[in-house]
Amino acid sequence: MTAVQTSVEQTGAEQAGATTGQDQYPAGALVVVRDEEWLVRSSMPTSDDGTRIEVTGVSEFVRDQEAVFFSRLDRIELLDPRATRLVMDDSPNYRRSRLFLEAVLRRTALPQSEHRLALADSFLMDPLPYQRRPAQLALSGANLRPRLLIADVVGLGKTLEIGLTLAELIRRGRGERILVVTPQHVLEQFQHELWTRFAIPLVRLDSVGIERIQREIPAGRNPFTSFKRVIVSIDTLKNTDQYRHHLEQIRWDAVVIDESHNLINRGSLRNQLASTLAPRTDALILASATPHNGDAKSFAELIRLLDPVAIRDPENYRASDIEHLFIRRTKISPEVREQMKGQWADRGPSRSVHCPATEAEERIFEELAAVWLPADGAASVSSVPLFPYTVLKSFLSSPAALRATVAARIRTLEKKEDRRGTEAELAALRRLSELAAGLDEKNSAKFAALVRQLRDEIGVGPGSEARVVVFSERVQTLEWLAGVLPAALGFRGRAARDCVRVMHGGLSDEQQMDRVEEFGLADTPVRVLLTGDVASEGVNLHRQCHHLVHYDVPWSLIRIEQRNGRIDRYGQARPPEFRALILTSEVPGAKDDTVVAERLLQREDEAHRALGTAEAVTGLYRAEAEERSLIQDLLRGRTVDESLDTPRSGGDGQDTGLEDFLADFFGSVDATAGADAEPGADGEPGTDGNPGTYPDGAPAAARRLSPDEHADPKPVLPRLFESTAHFVDEALREVYPDARDRLELDRDPQSGLISFRPPAELVHRLKALPSDYLREQRLRERLLVTFNRRLAEHSLQRARQSSTSSWPEISLLTDLHPVVEWLTDKVLVGLGRQEAPMITANVAEPVYLVQGVYSNGLGRPTVVKWMGVSWREAAHEGLAVDDMVTLLRHAGVTPDMPNKRGYRDPEPLRAALPRVLQTAEAFLDTHRDAWDEPLRRPVEEYKQRLGAWEQPTLDGQRTRERLVDLADSLLTTGRPLLRVLAVLIPDTDAHPGGRDHDGSPPVSLAADSWAAFRHSPSSAAL
């Protein structure tokens, strides 16, 4: 069956079977399907089944049920605005009408043409303009779709930047279906931040959870359709054989891939996953502090996930070619440095703690210097050039690591059938094994130094709250330390078991998340987190900790920086302190920690203070490549400094074009460091932090916003109510006048805490919240919410100090919160099917409030107008203005307006509806080209780039065709959808002279001050 589309010029017969080529069902519209009323959540076209619309039930039989309909399979009736029934509103102060109008404003998606941020000030985050920049770039129109790489260095708050971007997409109707993909150890952390800061709930799924869903749903159904917003670990989803066919059958509004540098190895499972997801989502947000691996083609492949035509030549491109697709800052970038004053303590120096080797350790140094790494240039006993450095690094880590390395090598050599040439190495390994057998915590210089540092310098011990992160590359070292450290620090009994936690890549994702959560809660007994480099990416360890110890030092500047970033990050209140245990030797020629590790620490610290990041120092951009290159240089006889300062270009396999690109890419971080905050010659705004300004360091693409970005005086979100708090307060009074009894509602006027028992329909909506949050805070029994930002922040901080739950018991009510959305929907359905209220106001003649929406080929609004329209029969003329909110204010539609409850015959008003709607459509049609121009420009520019994009392969041609279709689908199509919202009628009992009670004259759209659009239709048209 076909959908019923309405136009003010269609006859009833035409409406019964007409489609306009593009069925338009804007979010917030009411439709009738299967004789039940539904509220549209989102809609998008499909190739075979017409328009797919997601809805929530409104009428009694289907109330709050979620459903999906297709316009070619069901009769979807979008009601004819000419058939609108005008009804009286008998509520106090016209509360029902004002709430209804506000609810429609809230439920209507912001149009594609609106580039300004709408919600940035409403969330539980500091008002830092630099954290808003990624969202501004994503919405700027510089790219056809909201796609970008957030490449800020470690610790700047990429999760917050992602959360704000997703929130803005949701408000635009482009975030209904969200998939977040992260490393397994940050799943819960990411989920926690998006809910507690932005009220964006994500359902966490792992392989077990997906299998459980598959058992519960009908056979063959896609498990990813069970929840709209999901967070899954990349290690779960990368199993493309198991999940690929499901992922290929679903489209997302937004996909987020964290730590996206792991995607760039062509052919890898992670790369295949990204290649599956990228073409099946509208918005794509990639995040990585180290997005470049030094290979031009690999990085081009990452960028092409965002935009296949952004880079024409993957071996020759510059940062300016992709500036519309990435944003990158460091802690010392001018905008970050100025805005972060007082909110992020400066890090202290990296302290080298020298540990003179014990007698037993010196014997191993002697063996290494004599046999494995001879200082005189003699050959090593090992036939594998790199293995002696593996032995050295394991020894510098711990006795346990050395024993494990030696034992593994012995087993490998003994398995060889032909042992010729291995006898000398086997004998040397056995000598090392004998020497290492006598090493334990009693004769380990580094262990003794660690105990002194933790106990005497940092203060870790029984009765102390001090916490510390201890990093080591070797799992054997971590497990050995876990066994001997608690007793050495004075912990006994149960305290000895609870004071230390170990974290490494061999643990499950649940175990890793539990370790991070335990360490981050103030009242848990954990004092020392022993962790491998699995925690060096993305994990927040700074909540209760500002001390970090490198038990061994990775031979990579990038890895050192990543480790330090776990406690040196946004939100750190105390200066981070770093220590590294440096094992020293008196043996001539011994390669102790002063040779490599100590110098790397110094160079990382120098780079951080001078450049804000150390990742570009070597020009290799990957920790593994840095370590491999350094060891090879050491084998050649170079020093650490000579290795780090060696140009990585030309003869080393890196071309000049790539070198130029990397200079641009990393140089763009501080390209404007010397710029001031004054407006430029072209009138660009300065860096004063006001809304709409663009701080220093912004890519040019972030500045190329809509021409009316700064000129438009209208608010981003038109509102009738002073705030969301006022709207919720009035909505509760209207929907639940007896809320104190029915909901057991309780308010604390002093703190702003609101407590109530959620009704069944709200409990049904809460299923989208994290399951452990629902369970731990018993949300199905009672909800604690507030508009008080301080109270919500205090609750969040208190949760971090609890050993029972990291979830706050009080949540901040934002526009996206399920409670606000529930009340908004309750208000929307407060009026009957296709009813519009009549409001007695200070107007000279009836003024109809009409919503007009143009949509694009994807069903998303491109233009949304809120109009006031009058029809003057005597003059045979229609008048229209597009500032409904201002009109209502001038007409006295306010919270204190009186409602005299007088009867007015609606028939004369209803008879004028066809003329009113014709005037509204004429107004929209007259201005359509001007409104479309900002949308057409970027589409035409993109299609020109597509024309110059050479793709000789069949897949490339198909991609070009798909992108051309996508570009065309973003343009406005069809006629506007019109909806009559209310009618303002004159007050027949007004004071003499026609003035309102406050003395203001009645509003007339014919007055010159309104500059109304005038429309005089022909008689034939009427």
Side-chain angles (χ1 to χ4, degrees):
M1 295 185 180
T2 59
V4 177
Q5 292 293 302
T6 61
S7 165
V8 297
E9 293 182 354
Q10 284 181 309
T11 66
E14 287 172 327
Q15 291 170 18
T19 61
T20 60
Q22 168 56 50
D23 300 333
Q24 298 180 27
Y25 306 100
L30 282 172
V31 295
V32 176
V33 188
R34 303 179 187 179
D35 203 34
E36 299 291 345
E37 291 180 52
W38 308 83
L39 184 70
V40 177
R41 292 292 185 205
S42 65
S43 66
M44 70 167 56
T46 66
S47 56
D48 300 317
D49 299 321
T51 300
R52 177 187 192 275
I53 66 166
E54 296 189 14
V55 296
T56 299
V58 170
S59 51
E60 185 174 357
F61 186 68
V62 295
R63 182 159 298 163
D64 289 312
Q65 292 186 25
E66 296 178 349
V68 176
F69 297 114
F70 295 86
S71 60
R72 291 182 185 171
L73 304 180
D74 276 287
R75 179 183 176 85
I76 302 174
E77 186 179 358
L78 191 61
L79 303 175
D80 184 351
R82 294 173 301 178
T84 301
R85 293 194 306 117
L86 304 180
V87 298
M88 297 300 298
D89 176 4
D90 60 357
S91 64
N93 310 110
Y94 288 101
R95 182 174 64 201
R96 189 176 308 129
S97 298
R98 292 184 294 106
L99 285 168
F100 173 74
L101 293 172
E102 175 76 7
V104 173
L105 288 169
R106 287 173 171 272
R107 270 304 186 195
T108 301
L110 289 175
Q112 182 179 320
S113 54
E114 180 55 82
H115 301 306
R116 297 172 297 169
L117 301 189
L119 304 174
D121 294 322
S122 60
F123 299 119
L124 206 59
M125 61 184 294
D126 295 321
L128 300 174
Y130 90 82
Q131 290 184 341
R132 301 179 181 187
R133 280 258 312 284
Q136 289 172 330
L137 178 57
L139 301 173
S140 67
N143 192 29
L144 280 190
R145 293 175 287 178
R147 295 184 159 217
L148 78 159
L149 164 64
I150 303 178
D152 288 345
V153 299
V154 173
L156 262 63
K158 288 188 287 295
T159 305
L160 296 177
E161 294 168 352
I162 291 169
L164 180 57
T165 304
L166 291 177
E168 291 289 343
L169 291 174
I170 291 170
R171 187 59 185 84
R172 286 159 172 76
R174 303 177 75 169
E176 194 69 13
R177 297 193 58 81
I178 296 173
L179 172 66
V180 177
V181 183
T182 74
Q184 59 186 9
H185 53 276
V186 297
L187 274 177
E188 185 167 344
Q189 174 183 295
F190 206 106
Q191 180 192 36
H192 190 276
E193 287 289 284
L194 258 64
W195 169 254
T196 58
R197 300 290 184 185
F198 303 97
I200 300 176
L202 300 173
V203 174
R204 191 171 78 232
L205 292 180
D206 54 17
S207 55
V208 176
I210 296 174
E211 289 172 6
R212 186 187 68 249
I213 293 171
Q214 287 178 309
R215 289 195 299 268
E216 295 173 353
I217 62 178
R221 184 173 173 183
N222 193 329
F224 294 103
T225 62
S226 297
F227 300 99
K228 293 182 179 180
R229 295 169 185 166
V230 175
I231 183 168
V232 192
S233 84
I234 193 167
D235 295 303
T236 296
L237 281 191
K238 73 180 182 183
N239 189 344
T240 51
D241 290 340
Q242 185 173 359
Y243 300 120
R244 183 168 186 168
H245 63 291
H246 291 310
L247 295 174
E248 287 177 342
Q249 299 302 317
I250 192 168
R251 290 198 61 85
W252 303 92
D253 292 317
V255 169
V256 176
I257 305 180
D258 194 21
E259 305 297 344
S260 54
H261 54 275
N262 294 316
L263 308 176
I264 59 180
N265 296 321
R266 179 179 285 274
S268 69
L269 293 177
R270 288 179 171 88
N271 181 268
Q272 292 175 24
L273 170 64
S275 299
T276 299
L277 293 174
R280 292 171 174 82
T281 180
D282 176 39
L284 178 60
I285 305 171
L286 307 179
S288 173
T290 55
H292 207 291
N293 67 352
D295 180 76
K297 289 184 177 179
S298 293
F299 188 72
E301 186 174 345
L302 186 67
I303 293 299
R304 282 176 167 174
L305 292 173
L306 300 170
D307 183 0
V309 304
I311 295 176
R312 296 180 60 183
D313 183 354
E315 297 181 351
N316 184 20
Y317 53 92
R318 302 190 67 89
S320 58
D321 296 334
I322 60 169
E323 62 182 358
H324 60 297
L325 292 169
F326 83 91
I327 189 166
R328 174 178 167 75
R329 285 80 52 86
T330 76
K331 187 178 178 181
I332 69 168
S333 298
E335 60 170 311
V336 178
R337 187 177 61 245
E338 292 303 314
Q339 295 166 24
M340 291 296 295
K341 284 181 178 177
Q343 300 189 61
W344 186 353
D346 289 333
R347 62 184 263 184
S350 295
R351 288 178 48 197
S352 295
V353 179
H354 280 217
C355 312
T358 63
E359 185 177 341
E361 289 170 330
E362 288 286 41
R363 284 196 290 271
I364 294 181
F365 270 122
E366 290 171 353
E367 179 73 10
L368 293 176
V371 179
W372 295 89
L373 292 165
D376 58 5
S380 170
V381 71
S382 177
S383 59
V384 180
L386 298 182
F387 182 68
Y389 279 98
T390 302
V391 174
L392 173 64
K393 290 194 68 185
S394 64
F395 169 55
L396 294 175
S397 180
S398 72
L402 175 61
R403 286 192 287 268
T405 299
V406 170
R409 180 63 175 166
I410 289 174
R411 287 193 299 271
T412 299
L413 293 180
E414 287 180 341
K415 288 179 182 178
K416 289 188 174 183
E417 295 183 6
D418 184 1
R419 295 190 185 179
R420 287 175 296 180
T422 65
E423 292 85 355
E425 184 175 356
L426 271 170
L429 285 166
R430 293 186 178 114
R431 283 197 304 274
L432 267 182
S433 181
E434 292 172 4
L435 292 171
L439 286 177
D440 57 21
E441 68 275 14
K442 297 182 182 65
N443 50 18
S444 169
K446 290 177 78 167
F447 180 77
L450 175 66
V451 173
R452 286 195 302 272
Q453 290 296 313
L454 298 189
R455 186 182 58 205
D456 303 336
E457 297 286 333
I458 299 175
V460 177
S464 170
E465 298 296 321
R467 300 193 182 199
V468 64
V469 182
V470 179
F471 269 99
S472 173
E473 291 185 305
R474 306 301 175 111
V475 173
Q476 297 86 0
T477 301
L478 297 171
E479 293 176 342
W480 172 66
L481 288 174
V484 298
L485 186 58
L489 293 175
F491 291 98
R492 299 289 183 268
R494 181 173 180 177
R497 296 192 302 272
D498 294 343
C499 70
V500 170
R501 288 291 179 268
V502 176
M503 180 170 155
H504 53 73
L507 302 179
S508 69
D509 54 350
E510 287 291 336
Q511 290 172 317
Q512 292 181 35
M513 288 186 290
D514 288 345
R515 302 294 194 272
V516 173
E517 182 178 12
E518 271 191 285
F519 189 71
L521 297 175
D523 63 357
T524 60
V526 181
R527 293 296 174 263
V528 180
L529 178 65
L530 301 169
T531 180
D533 287 316
V534 67
S536 66
E537 292 186 357
V539 179
N540 294 333
L541 301 177
H542 66 294
R543 303 295 186 196
Q544 312 295 336
C545 175
H546 67 285
H547 293 284
L548 184 149
V549 176
H550 300 279
Y551 195 80
D552 52 41
V553 178
W555 286 12
S556 160
L557 298 178
I558 290 175
R559 190 69 77 204
I560 295 171
E561 180 177 76
Q562 288 175 334
R563 283 185 177 185
N564 291 346
R566 297 313 100 211
I567 66 169
D568 181 22
R569 56 198 304 108
Y570 171 67
Q572 176 59 269
R574 304 180 66 179
E577 297 184 20
F578 310 111
R579 294 171 172 83
L581 304 182
I582 304 298
L583 186 62
T584 64
S585 173
E586 297 294 330
V587 174
K591 289 181 170 54
D592 62 10
D593 274 325
T594 63
V595 175
V596 177
E598 188 167 34
R599 189 60 190 130
L600 288 175
L601 287 168
Q602 293 166 352
R603 289 294 297 266
E604 188 276 337
D605 192 63
E606 292 167 4
H608 178 84
R609 297 184 190 285
L611 305 174
T613 178
E615 61 186 316
V617 171
T618 64
L620 293 171
Y621 310 101
R622 285 180 300 169
E624 299 80 4
E626 284 189 334
E627 179 173 343
R628 185 168 57 249
S629 175
L630 176 58
I631 292 176
Q632 290 170 344
D633 284 342
L634 292 172
L635 286 170
R636 298 186 186 108
R638 291 174 177 168
T639 66
V640 170
D641 286 312
E642 288 171 343
S643 177
L644 296 181
D645 296 335
T646 298
R648 308 289 170 181
S649 60
D652 287 340
Q654 185 167 292
D655 60 40
T656 306
L658 174 59
E659 191 175 6
D660 290 343
F661 165 76
L662 294 175
D664 279 355
F665 184 79
F666 290 101
S668 68
V669 171
D670 298 302
T672 57
D676 56 35
E678 296 300 319
D682 59 354
E684 288 274 327
T687 60
D688 56 3
N690 291 329
T693 63
Y694 294 90
D696 289 335
R703 298 174 182 268
R704 291 201 302 267
L705 305 181
S706 169
D708 60 353
E709 172 81 5
H710 308 296
D712 190 352
K714 296 179 183 176
V716 182
L717 294 176
R719 291 280 170 86
L720 300 186
F721 283 74
E722 183 180 332
S723 66
T724 300
H726 286 90
F727 169 72
V728 167
D729 188 54
E730 288 276 88
L732 278 171
R733 288 194 181 97
E734 177 65 24
V735 177
Y736 288 99
D738 52 352
R740 187 173 295 278
D741 296 325
R742 287 183 62 189
L743 303 181
E744 299 173 14
L745 179 71
D746 184 55
R747 298 172 182 264
D748 184 341
Q750 198 165 21
S751 69
L753 177 64
I754 304 171
S755 168
F756 66 99
R757 177 180 49 79
E761 60 205 47
L762 178 53
V763 170
H764 178 72
R765 292 178 181 236
L766 297 180
K767 70 178 183 178
L769 271 59
S771 58
D772 50 350
Y773 174 47
L774 283 169
R775 182 181 63 256
E776 292 169 10
Q777 296 299 338
R778 303 171 70 177
L779 299 185
R780 297 180 182 89
E781 300 172 24
R782 196 155 196 84
L783 281 177
L784 301 179
V785 294
T786 186
F787 288 101
N788 185 333
R789 198 181 299 258
R790 282 188 178 182
L791 179 62
E793 182 68 44
H794 178 69
S795 178
L796 180 57
Q797 296 301 329
R798 193 167 61 244
R800 290 178 178 146
Q801 298 169 5
S802 166
S803 60
T804 56
S805 175
S806 64
W807 295 100
E809 60 177 353
I810 303 172
S811 60
L812 181 69
L813 287 174
T814 71
D815 286 3
L816 305 183
H817 197 285
V819 169
V820 178
E821 292 187 336
W822 162 68
L823 280 172
T824 302
D825 291 346
K826 293 287 286 184
V827 166
L828 276 176
V829 301
L831 292 176
R833 181 183 297 184
Q834 209 169 3
E835 290 182 347
M838 297 183 290
I839 306 170
T840 302
N842 188 30
V843 291
E845 67 270 332
V847 178
Y848 297 74
L849 306 182
V850 180
Q851 178 193 33
V853 179
Y854 278 115
S855 298
N856 61 23
L858 298 176
R860 300 194 189 103
T862 55
V863 176
V864 176
K865 293 297 174 181
W866 306 95
M867 297 171 283
V869 183
S870 290
W871 174 256
R872 311 181 77 190
E873 185 64 38
H876 196 66
E877 177 184 56
L879 303 168
V881 297
D882 68 341
D883 193 351
M884 183 180 80
V885 174
T886 300
L887 173 64
L888 288 167
R889 187 172 64 250
H890 282 275
V893 181
T894 60
D896 58 354
M897 68 183 301
N899 186 350
K900 301 176 183 178
R901 296 181 174 87
Y903 174 77
R904 289 290 295 271
D905 182 6
E907 282 308 307
L909 298 170
R910 192 188 64 77
L913 278 176
R915 298 167 177 82
V916 166
L917 292 167
Q918 190 179 44
T919 300
E921 185 164 4
F923 169 75
L924 295 172
D925 186 61
T926 299
H927 295 89
R928 172 174 170 170
D929 286 344
W931 293 330
D932 273 355
E933 180 57 26
L935 302 177
R936 276 197 301 266
R937 260 199 328 272
V939 168
E940 292 305 319
E941 290 173 2
Y942 190 80
K943 290 173 71 172
Q944 288 176 9
R945 291 209 306 273
L946 276 172
W949 185 48
E950 298 179 3
Q951 284 296 310
T953 66
L954 181 60
D955 282 345
Q957 292 298 330
R958 288 172 177 165
T959 299
R960 187 207 300 272
E961 292 171 4
R962 177 174 60 82
L963 292 174
V964 168
D965 291 343
L966 169 67
D968 289 336
S969 71
L970 298 178
L971 297 173
T972 300
T973 183
R975 304 177 68 169
L977 179 142
L978 299 176
R979 181 180 182 185
V980 179
L981 304 177
V983 184
L984 306 183
I985 56 178
D987 185 356
T988 55
D989 298 327
H991 285 207
R995 294 182 175 269
D996 197 10
H997 295 280
D998 64 0
S1000 57
V1003 171
S1004 173
L1005 300 188
D1008 292 341
S1009 59
W1010 284 99
F1013 167 82
R1014 295 175 180 268
H1015 176 63
S1016 299
S1018 65
S1019 299
L1022 294 177

